[in-house]
Amino acid sequence: MNGSPTSVAQPVTAVPGSRTIGEIADLYINRELSWLDFDARVLEMVDDPDVPLLERLMFCAIFSSNLDEFFQVRVATLRSQQDAGSQAVSPDGLSAGEQLAAIRTAIAPLLERQEAVLVDQLLPQLEEQGVTIVPWSRLTQDERKHLVEMYEQRVFPILTPLAVDPSHPFPYISNLSLNLAVSVRNPATGERRFARVKVPSLFPRLARLPGSYRFVLIEQVIAAQLPTLFPGMEIEGWWTFRVTRNADLPLEDGEADDLLVAIETELKRRRFGRSVRIEINTEMPDEVEMLLLHQLDLTDADVTRHRGPIDLTCLKELHSHDLPALKFRPWPNITAGRVVAADTAGRSLFSVIRERDLLVHHPYESFASSTEEFIEQAADDPAVQTIKMTLYRTSGDSAIARSLIRAAERGVQVAAMVEIKARFDEATNVEWAKTLEQAGVHVVYGLSGLKTHAKCVLVVRADEDGLRRYVHLGTGNYNSRTARLYEDIGYFTCDPDIGADASQLFNHLTGFARMQQYRSLLVAPEHLRTQLLELIEREMAHGAAGRITCKMNSLGDPRMVRALYEASQAGVRIDLIVRGVCCLRPGVPGVSETIRVRSILGRYLEHSRIYRFDHGDIDGGPVHLIGSADMMPRNLDGRVETLVPVRHPRHQMWLDSVFDFQLGDDIGCWELQASGEWLRRHGTIDVQHQMQRWVEERQRPRGS
């Protein structure tokens, strides 16, 4: 093992022998600090010389985007709890105020590290490759002329300078907007005023200069032309700033007669959420900073100061340019072998699924040629009578939604459970819900008090031997864009029990049916928690022969953490692959000595949830589960989730191979220590590249 530890979590103290696991707060890593640990791991990818330059910039942008969401949701929630005088504490024993203080302490060094890597390493290295973000002061006369013309034609007409004086109140600053704070002086009277100019977001932040890969930040172009906005005034200075607001929708389903209207109303209110953070330039004068803090009802503790550009999510724009030498080498788009064979023979995916269940692994295997094709064929197949589907996050230009519309227009009964409460995708989902409804799709917006996070498609088809239900269940969203970036598993089956369960699930989602016991599916919130606890207990009965292997996005549910601790005390070997939040401490003597926790980051976002219990079957054999649920309170108690058992030996072998690769001895990963620190292992093997080669090898025709 090598590398340096990275952690903002609190260290564990000695475990008193007289207390139970459930009573020991320091056995639980704080959820918010664990989330920041995850973003710290993202930041380590920015500093990794083995990652191509533009990919490092992309990780830099992802780090910033992650922090934006963290402040909009997690910090905002803690601020609300603190303001309300809540006495509640987190499982690790911290109050809202204590968590906010710990967050502030943790974030400062992360931001300093991000800026140091960007300013001192990445930007100079990019310039060596001919890609430069150029300050206005370094532009040639011709370049300035080009930008001034662009400004006059495209930018100046949409700018609105807003002054602050007795007749002009302080303007509203919208969430995550980039702004210029401008100090102007009237040369005739000597009077000084503050003004705000909002940087428009209608076009790219990085203005490209013709015939080159030289870019200028649009705010520098605007700043250079401030005299055109304040004619006759002296510009004493300008500084950028950005405000983050509470963006968590407070809607309680039971309060709304019309959920769609209520969500649209709350989306408008989101713009006016309480301020929770302000980002400013280090050069901003104290008097301007104090004015902003006073007007935004913030304190010095809510300020982050930057010596480089504010809002580094704009670095994603550089990644969009055609610079293959500075990016990951593209991997071939592979279609699952059985799908290729069927297509070659002119057979449908339904015939493939009738022969045997189909398992696909994205993006190593194509999402378009499997999941999208399945829904497209269902939409056009005259034998298909019904299509039912859940949509949690979908893309703005969704081929799947278009297939549903086409099916409805030709008379197929189509029902879509569109989750319009999916955070930060509400607006997209609202628009799709309206479009689908106008086309004749039966649209349901969600269940009261729950989000529908399950990934499920049910197709009822009139086969030659009678009606048959075809089901797709997955770990990822029905989103063609993220399907190329997120690692996920998709499972197709026409198993009668799973088909019956899927019908029951949709009846629950669209009607008034109560959640009942299912034959094969594990479904939250009614049964999933209990069934997972039973599977853990079943392994405990086998002592040291028991084994649990789980891959998930997050592990933060206290009861699940406690159950895994108890299983470890019984001798069960437990391997956990957790990409993000992990509130469990592995390797604590007497508590979790048999537990290992890894985190893997790479060119793909590890998104699949896979669970294996070696003695989970009633007959004592292994149980493999895939689906949408993490071990988090929200997944187990606050959402409709599904896990499906994968029973075919070939498919179980595939899932076991995923575990074998990701638990290998010489792969690059992070390992969680009992102290709460994440220690990076710089292995010689890139596990995602290894997986890609393995998939390519399995799809290669024999003898080739």
Side-chain angles (χ1 to χ4, degrees):
M1 184 181 299
N2 53 70
S4 57
T6 298
S7 177
V8 299
Q10 304 296 321
V12 67
T13 57
V15 179
S18 61
R19 297 165 65 194
T20 67
I21 287 174
E23 298 172 331
I24 304 170
D26 60 8
L27 283 179
Y28 298 87
I29 296 173
N30 181 269
R31 169 181 168 164
E32 318 307 343
L33 299 182
S34 181
W35 192 98
L36 289 176
D37 272 336
F38 161 65
D39 217 19
R41 297 195 294 279
V42 173
L43 189 55
E44 286 198 62
M45 299 296 288
V46 180
D47 200 14
D48 189 339
D50 293 331
V51 177
L53 273 174
L54 285 184
E55 305 296 349
R56 293 169 69 183
L57 280 183
M58 178 61 83
F59 280 114
C60 191
I62 292 170
F63 172 85
S64 292
S65 179
N66 287 348
L67 271 189
D68 287 346
E69 181 173 344
F70 182 73
F71 273 94
Q72 289 177 93
V73 179
R74 304 307 307 172
V75 172
T77 299
L78 291 172
R79 283 287 297 271
S80 297
Q81 292 174 3
Q82 185 183 45
D83 293 344
S86 172
Q87 300 301 309
V89 296
S90 57
D92 61 315
L94 298 183
S95 67
E98 289 170 330
Q99 291 180 79
L100 287 169
I103 287 168
R104 286 193 291 268
T105 300
I107 283 178
L110 295 179
L111 291 174
E112 290 174 6
R113 182 177 172 193
Q114 180 192 32
E115 290 200 330
V117 174
L118 177 67
V119 175
D120 301 333
Q121 296 182 39
L122 294 187
L123 294 182
Q125 291 175 30
L126 275 172
E127 190 163 1
E128 293 174 2
Q129 300 296 322
V131 181
T132 312
I133 299 178
V134 191
W136 184 266
S137 60
R138 286 175 49 190
L139 295 175
T140 67
Q141 284 300 112
D142 287 342
E143 289 173 334
R144 291 187 182 189
K145 180 180 178 181
H146 167 78
L147 291 173
V148 169
E149 290 175 354
M150 182 269 290
Y151 168 83
E152 292 175 343
Q153 295 172 10
R154 299 179 55 201
V155 182
F156 176 76
I158 63 175
L159 294 179
T160 305
L162 297 172
V164 177
D165 59 29
S167 61
H168 297 87
F170 189 86
Y172 176 76
I173 311 297
S174 55
N175 184 37
L176 298 184
S177 63
L178 187 66
N179 305 271
L180 299 185
V182 186
S183 178
V184 299
R185 178 179 176 273
N186 187 330
T189 65
E191 189 177 29
R192 302 171 65 203
R193 291 295 183 198
F194 169 89
R196 173 259 191 155
V197 179
K198 181 178 179 178
V199 177
S201 57
L202 299 176
F203 37 80
R205 172 98 176 273
L206 294 168
R208 183 179 177 183
L209 293 165
S212 72
Y213 285 107
R214 287 162 61 82
F215 301 86
V216 181
L217 289 163
I218 193 66
E219 63 264 28
Q220 292 205 2
V221 178
I222 296 171
Q225 304 304 309
L226 284 174
T228 67
L229 296 174
F230 304 96
M233 305 292 284
E234 293 179 359
I235 310 299
E236 293 190 322
W238 64 271
W239 309 271
T240 53
F241 72 96
R242 183 172 180 253
V243 175
T244 308
R245 296 182 177 275
N246 184 341
D248 201 21
L249 295 183
L251 177 72
E252 295 294 334
D253 297 325
E255 299 175 359
D257 294 327
D258 188 322
L259 184 58
L260 182 63
V261 172
I263 286 289
E264 291 181 305
T265 301
E266 290 301 327
L267 283 173
K268 295 175 183 176
R269 290 180 186 171
R270 175 181 279 172
R271 296 177 54 247
F272 302 96
R274 174 178 176 163
S275 304
V276 295
R277 173 183 65 162
I278 183 169
E279 302 165 86
I280 65 173
N281 292 132
T282 53
E283 299 87 357
M284 179 179 285
D286 291 344
E287 61 187 83
V288 177
E289 179 182 340
M290 294 306 296
L291 170 67
L292 291 171
L293 293 181
H294 173 71
Q295 294 291 342
L296 294 166
D297 193 23
L298 295 172
T299 68
D300 185 68
D302 303 312
V303 180
T304 61
R305 296 174 175 83
H306 304 265
R307 64 185 176 104
I310 289 173
D311 183 15
L312 295 177
T313 60
C314 66
L315 296 175
K316 293 180 181 179
E317 295 176 18
L318 290 179
H319 190 275
S320 66
H321 290 282
D322 185 21
L323 294 162
L326 304 181
K327 299 180 185 180
F328 287 128
R329 180 179 63 83
W331 288 342
N333 188 27
I334 297 172
T335 298
R338 292 176 60 210
V339 176
V340 172
D343 186 60
T344 302
R347 297 166 50 219
S348 71
L349 280 173
F350 299 107
S351 67
V352 174
I353 299 166
R354 277 198 303 275
E355 289 177 348
R356 174 163 56 85
D357 295 348
L358 175 66
L359 188 79
V360 289
H361 196 176
H362 314 305
Y364 306 108
E365 295 178 305
S366 169
F367 177 83
S369 64
S370 55
T371 307
E372 287 186 348
E373 180 67 19
F374 172 71
I375 298 169
E376 182 176 349
Q377 289 186 18
D380 298 329
D381 188 337
V384 168
Q385 300 185 352
T386 299
I387 303 173
K388 300 182 181 183
M389 183 173 190
T390 62
L391 289 171
Y392 187 72
R393 298 189 194 277
T394 190
S395 51
D397 182 24
S398 172
I400 286 175
R402 291 197 302 271
S403 291
L404 296 181
I405 290 170
R406 194 167 65 253
E409 289 176 341
R410 74 172 183 86
V412 176
Q413 181 173 301
V414 181
M417 198 353 281
V418 182
E419 183 48 80
I420 58 175
K421 301 186 294 296
R423 185 181 291 133
F424 300 120
D425 278 311
E426 298 98 340
T428 299
N429 287 3
V430 164
E431 288 306 309
W432 271 123
K434 291 179 177 179
T435 302
L436 290 168
E437 207 159 34
Q438 289 169 1
V441 174
H442 301 295
V443 177
V444 180
Y445 302 125
L447 294 177
S448 177
L450 298 173
K451 287 185 180 181
T452 301
H453 191 245
K455 324 299 182 187
C456 184
V457 180
L458 170 65
V459 175
V460 180
R461 187 175 188 271
D463 290 345
E464 292 181 358
D465 55 348
L467 286 180
R468 182 174 279 106
R469 289 177 280 210
Y470 296 84
V471 181
H472 172 273
L473 292 150
T475 67
N477 300 306
Y478 295 110
N479 186 314
S480 57
R481 183 183 64 83
T482 58
R484 296 189 292 269
L485 304 172
Y486 289 14
E487 176 270 344
D488 274 305
I489 302 289
Y491 178 64
F492 300 84
T493 184
C494 58
D495 177 271
D497 286 344
I498 294 176
D501 283 352
S503 290
Q504 183 175 310
L505 175 65
F506 279 105
N507 288 342
H508 173 65
L509 293 175
T510 61
F512 288 106
R514 293 188 60 193
M515 192 83 78
Q516 302 294 318
Q517 192 67 42
Y518 289 84
R519 306 179 190 184
S520 292
L521 296 184
L522 285 67
V523 180
E526 293 291 332
H527 308 297
L528 179 55
R529 177 188 291 279
T530 301
Q531 290 170 312
L532 286 175
L533 290 173
E534 288 174 353
L535 287 167
I536 293 172
E537 290 173 0
R538 209 170 286 173
E539 292 303 318
M540 290 173 62
H542 290 81
R547 187 168 187 190
I548 298 170
T549 313
C550 303
K551 179 179 181 296
M552 64 191 90
N553 291 267
S554 299
L555 169 58
D557 184 80
R559 288 174 60 188
M560 286 297 167
V561 170
R562 186 162 61 247
L564 292 171
Y565 282 157
E566 292 168 352
S568 179
Q569 290 179 311
V572 177
R573 291 179 300 151
I574 302 172
D575 281 299
L576 305 174
I577 304 163
V578 185
R579 187 191 81 237
V581 169
C582 182
C583 298
L584 174 149
R585 293 185 187 271
V588 177
V591 176
S592 56
E593 291 176 276
T594 64
I595 302 179
R596 294 190 302 169
V597 179
R598 282 189 172 182
S599 180
I600 294 172
L601 277 69
R603 68 191 295 167
Y604 297 147
L605 183 137
E606 293 287 337
H607 192 251
S608 67
R609 292 87 165 179
I610 309 172
Y611 300 90
R612 175 185 164 119
F613 299 88
D614 276 25
H615 303 89
D617 189 76
I618 295 177
D619 298 326
V623 164
H624 296 71
L625 304 167
I626 65 106
S628 57
D630 292 311
M631 288 188 179
M632 296 288 283
R634 66 187 184 192
N635 299 98
L636 301 174
D637 302 323
R639 293 179 174 181
V640 177
E641 303 274 15
T642 55
L643 294 178
V644 59
V646 176
R647 297 190 176 100
H648 195 282
R650 291 176 64 89
H651 299 156
Q652 292 181 345
M653 180 276 296
W654 188 289
L655 299 179
D656 287 341
S657 296
V658 173
F659 284 139
D660 290 343
F661 288 147
Q662 299 211 346
L663 295 171
D665 291 334
D666 201 23
I667 70 164
C669 65
W670 285 260
E671 293 191 344
L672 182 58
Q673 311 300 300
S675 64
E677 294 177 324
W678 286 91
L679 189 63
R680 188 172 188 182
R681 296 179 50 143
H682 291 278
T684 61
I685 297 173
D686 178 333
V687 68
Q688 292 184 343
H689 192 196
Q690 183 185 40
M691 187 74 201
Q692 175 71 24
R693 291 198 306 266
W694 185 72
V695 172
E696 290 176 7
E697 181 63 32
R698 292 186 62 79
Q699 302 298 347
R700 186 173 296 134
R702 293 180 181 179
S704 64

